[in-house]
């Protein structure tokens, strides 16, 4: 970008910032930028919360599966021994 183009761009920006129509445009642009940043923050927080919930669910499910497997195995062994082991429990 040449120096003349840069000077022209700065003049245009100064004009836009000083004029009433330009200031409204700048305000709306700033509000749009702020709202996009806020949406990104909220989306990140929601993603983290959902990830934590999924992790907790997976952990609870794994623990329950392990517990039920151990409990049912012990009970099944007792029933098997009672039926086929001659009634000794």
């Amino acid at each position: 970008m040449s120096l003349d183009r840069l000077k022209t761009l700065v003049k245009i920006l100064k004009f836009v910032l000083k004029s009433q129509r330009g200031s409204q445009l700048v305000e709306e642009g700033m509000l749009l930028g702020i709202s996009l940043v806020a949406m990104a923050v909220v989306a990140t927080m929601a993603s983290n919360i959902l990830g934590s919930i999924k992790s907790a669910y997976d952990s609870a499910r794994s623990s329950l599966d392990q517990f039920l497997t151990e409990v049912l195995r012990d009970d099944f062994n007792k029933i098997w021994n009672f039926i086929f082991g001659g009634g000794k429990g």
Side-chain angles (χ1 to χ4, degrees), residues 36-53:
L36 290 176
V37 169
M39 276 186 12
V41 168
V42 169
T44 302
M45 290 173 55
S47 174
N48 289 339
I49 290 171
L50 292 176
S52 297
I53 290 172

Side-chain angles (χ1 to χ4, degrees), residues 13-42:
L13 286 175
K14 283 182 182 179
F15 176 75
V16 168
L17 290 175
K18 288 182 180 180
S19 71
Q20 290 291 353
R21 290 174 47 197
S23 65
Q24 289 176 351
L25 184 64
V26 169
E27 287 176 15
E28 290 176 7
M30 289 174 62
L31 287 174
L32 181 62
I34 291 170
S35 65
L36 290 176
V37 169
M39 276 186 12
V41 168
V42 169

